[in-house]
Amino acid sequence: MIRMTLKLFAILLVLIGALAIATLTVVDRNHYEKRPFYREMDLRLDSLAEAFALQPNQDSLHIGWSRVNITPTEKVPLAGYGARDPKEMTGIHDSSFVRTVVFQKGSQKVAVVTADLLIIHPELSRAVWRGLPAGWSSDQIYFTASHTHSGQGGWAPGTVGRLFAGDFDASRVDFLTSKILQSIQEASDALEPGEIAVGELAVDDLVKNRLAKDKGIEDPWMKVIQLRKGVAKGFLVFYSAHATCFGSDFNQLSGDFPARFNLLMEADSAITFSAYGASAVGSMGPDVPGAHPAGNVEKIAEELRQQAVLFSLLGAGHRQVSALTSFRLSVPLPDPAFKISKHLALRPYLFKWAFGNYPHYVSVMVLGETLLIGMPCDFSGELAVPLYEKARALGYQLVITSFNGDYAGYVIKDEWYDLPKYEARTMSWYGPYAGQYFTEIINRIISTIDENNQTNTPDR
């Protein structure tokens, strides 16, 4: 009997060991520069530097904008919190929209598309690309999102998609695709000669470092692109605080403070249009002490509105947009590692089964002296701040946005990779040097644009 028990125990241990070997791997801590994917990226960046040229464009700037309602007509799951249970919405707190701004100079054009959604999921971005009308290419669509955690879901297949966005429903992707395409068309139809003013304001009292707290820094920069065509005035605004005033116990559809900000802006008779996009929201949380979520929404939205109006009243000069271009740069990454402890992670095949397997890229838009770089992730505000400083030193206004139509989890400061916290343990999928890696990519893109910018003035 004892022998049989020992034999069964040994078999059990072998089965457990085999299961562990089949499902778990050790977190790869080799520096990214030593790994094959970096050599591939290095060659791509070198090729970009050799081929890229930003030439002056003498055509006048035309601007068009649109706002299309995407509020669901039936109850759908909400996206944002894995802990939200049930996921299904119980009502509508405020309506949802997709907002698009089209910029055009001669044959060059770009559409900046932002929506009251958690992210722009790869299933949605690919569907939009497939549906683009003649005259548009996928490189000309610059995606971002408000990152509301109480927006509609159902657009993400797979186990991870179900956890954060509810059960997948292909009709939700179809619905959102049609609305985004409608918004691009309506903005294109509204094109008129226009001009822009671009700047930034430090709004440091509304954001905190929710990951590293006092050991880290915050990204306080509210980026503003003021649009004008004729007597009509519009705004594109980007900020770093997570749109999480409403928590996981909230089951109504809402765009959180970004949607309220847009509503307050457009209630001003002097403002025709407002659109909000998430900037470097990784590790950045809203800093509001109030216990009432709706009050916190109002506080952030109202202060951001005041700052945008202040920017307008300060009379920032409208900029001559000497060039307009956009492109996407494919980004190779290591195998994903979904960590279950400091040193162990699920094997990549399990991650791809649960989340999906999509190629990754960085989006780039050049609007005169304004650079927009769209990241495939919750990109950390801590990483963005020094990049903004570099761009300023070169004479550019840099806007880093998250959720560009791809998703690679969180990219945080490497120093925090081993913290036993959500952003670091659960959502940092691409190794302990992802922060350095993506920072190098952005740095080299900025340098490439500057070194090959034929519109540069001698005093830059």
Side-chain angles (χ1 to χ4, degrees), residues 328-388:
R328 286 185 294 118
L329 183 65
S330 179
V331 176
L333 288 171
D335 284 335
F338 186 92
K339 292 183 291 180
I340 63 170
S341 70
K342 182 177 179 178
H343 298 293
L344 292 177
L346 294 181
R347 287 195 175 274
Y349 79 89
L350 288 174
F351 176 93
K352 293 173 183 178
W353 168 80
F355 180 79
N357 188 19
Y358 304 96
H360 302 291
Y361 62 89
V362 169
S363 307
V364 180
M365 174 181 172
V366 182
L367 183 63
E369 298 171 357
T370 303
L371 311 181
L372 287 88
I373 298 183
M375 302 302 291
C377 56
D378 286 76
F379 189 75
S380 171
E382 289 193 90
L383 300 176
V385 169
L387 292 165
Y388 292 152

Side-chain angles (χ1 to χ4, degrees), residues 2-333:
I2 294 176
R3 183 177 296 177
M4 178 62 69
T5 301
L6 290 174
K7 184 176 181 180
L8 291 174
F9 183 68
I11 292 172
L12 180 61
L13 287 178
V14 169
L15 290 174
I16 292 173
L19 180 63
I21 292 171
T23 59
L24 300 178
T25 186
V26 175
V27 174
D28 191 333
R29 294 181 179 271
N30 288 309
H31 195 272
Y32 70 90
E33 290 181 342
K34 299 179 180 179
R35 303 178 66 182
F37 73 88
Y38 176 73
R39 291 192 287 274
E40 183 181 350
M41 190 71 232
D42 189 41
L43 289 173
R44 290 184 186 181
L45 288 165
D46 285 346
S47 297
L48 176 67
E50 292 174 3
F52 183 81
L54 188 64
Q55 299 178 344
N57 184 331
Q58 302 302 323
D59 293 304
S60 61
L61 177 67
H62 285 66
I63 302 172
W65 57 65
S66 72
R67 178 181 57 253
V68 173
N69 196 313
I70 59 170
T71 307
T73 56
E74 67 273 356
K75 291 183 177 180
V76 299
L78 298 178
Y81 297 105
R84 180 182 273 133
D85 186 23
K87 294 283 193 290
E88 186 175 87
M89 60 184 270
T90 57
I92 298 172
H93 182 274
D94 51 88
S95 297
S96 301
F97 295 89
V98 56
R99 299 164 188 265
T100 296
V101 180
V102 170
F103 299 93
Q104 183 166 343
K105 281 177 69 71
S107 61
Q108 299 293 323
K109 60 183 178 181
V110 186
V112 178
V113 179
T114 182
D116 291 322
L117 296 171
L118 179 69
I119 65 172
I120 303 296
H121 190 273
E123 290 291 323
L124 179 55
S125 62
R126 272 69 175 174
V128 171
W129 295 343
R130 291 191 296 269
L132 288 171
W136 284 98
S137 71
S138 59
D139 284 358
Q140 295 172 313
I141 310 301
Y142 186 100
F143 283 118
T144 185
S146 70
H147 202 42
T148 173
H149 281 52
S150 298
Q152 60 195 283
W155 30 253
T159 302
V160 175
R162 185 180 305 111
L163 177 64
F164 287 98
D167 290 339
F168 176 66
D169 183 348
S171 68
R172 302 311 308 157
V173 176
D174 294 340
F175 169 77
L176 291 169
T177 298
S178 67
K179 295 297 185 180
I180 291 173
L181 292 171
Q182 178 186 341
S183 75
I184 294 171
Q185 186 61 57
E186 290 184 4
S188 299
D189 293 341
L191 283 166
E192 296 178 15
E195 55 188 4
I196 66 170
V198 182
E200 60 187 3
L201 302 100
V203 188
D204 54 10
D205 61 318
L206 297 179
V207 64
K208 64 183 178 182
N209 190 318
R210 68 179 197 176
L211 175 62
K213 303 191 185 302
D214 292 341
K215 294 181 180 179
I217 64 170
E218 294 79 36
D219 172 10
W221 296 106
M222 174 182 176
K223 306 284 185 169
V224 181
I225 302 177
Q226 182 177 299
L227 316 166
R228 187 180 293 277
K229 53 176 188 174
V231 298
K233 184 164 63 176
F235 285 84
L236 263 174
V237 172
F238 307 91
Y239 193 56
S240 60
H242 259 72
T244 52
C245 291
F246 291 120
S248 60
D249 59 344
F250 184 79
N251 278 82
Q252 295 186 55
L253 182 78
S254 176
D256 211 279
F257 75 80
R260 182 60 180 163
F261 165 78
N262 287 328
L263 187 64
L264 291 174
M265 291 286 285
E266 292 173 347
D268 187 329
S269 60
I271 299 172
T272 307
F273 172 83
S274 175
Y276 178 99
S279 59
V281 296
S283 305
M284 301 294 108
D287 190 8
V288 279
H292 193 271
N296 293 339
V297 165
E298 192 69 24
K299 174 178 170 56
I300 297 178
E302 175 58 23
E303 183 163 343
L304 292 180
R305 183 199 69 81
Q306 292 176 12
Q307 294 293 330
V309 171
L310 175 63
F311 175 84
S312 183
L313 292 175
L314 289 174
H318 285 85
R319 299 193 179 194
Q320 178 68 32
V321 177
S322 54
L324 174 66
T325 192
S326 60
F327 61 89
R328 286 185 294 118
L329 183 65
S330 179
V331 176
L333 288 171

